[in-house]
Amino acid sequence: MQPEPSQYSPLTASLLRGYARGMIWAGGLLLLAVLVVVPPDARGWGVALAGALAVAVLRYGSVSLSKFAYVTMTVVPVGALTLLGWPVPAAVAAGVGTLLGDATRRK
């Protein structure tokens, strides 16, 4: 099977890959920093776990728009946790739930 020709120049494709990797690393480092500065208590970890499961389930059921784009409703549990006063568990739920959802979908 031949790889598809890219619609982007090699430089643009490289920049986009670098941007995506940078965002992944920046998000992970920011999440770690938040956990160090404001670690959740036992109840917060429980809320984070419930949120992560909700995010993973919603991420698993994403709607494909194209080969590389899709829509998910992961913002619903993350936004709800944030509005309910659980910003750090919401951040944990977003990160962990996204990883779980993508791992189960093998993306």
Side-chain angles (χ1 to χ4, degrees):
M1 177 180 257
Q2 295 291 326
E4 287 186 29
S6 176
Q7 63 182 354
Y8 302 110
S9 70
L11 176 62
T12 303
S14 176
L15 288 172
L16 289 172
R17 277 192 299 275
Y19 173 78
R21 288 185 184 119
M23 291 300 291
I24 291 169
W25 280 101
L29 291 173
L30 183 61
L31 180 58
L32 286 175
V34 167
L35 288 173
V36 168
V37 174
V38 189
D41 57 6
R43 187 170 174 208
W45 283 110
V47 169
L49 176 63
L53 291 174
V55 168
V57 167
L58 290 170
R59 186 115 173 135
Y60 187 80
S62 64
V63 176
S64 293
L65 299 176
S66 70
K67 183 175 179 182
F68 299 108
Y70 51 89
V71 175
T72 67
M73 293 304 295
T74 57
V75 70
V76 174
V78 173
L81 289 176
T82 302
L83 291 173
L84 290 170
W86 297 97
V88 174
V92 173
V96 172
T98 298
L99 290 173
L100 285 174
D102 287 355
T104 56
R105 292 180 67 222
R106 297 187 178 155
K107 293 284 181 177

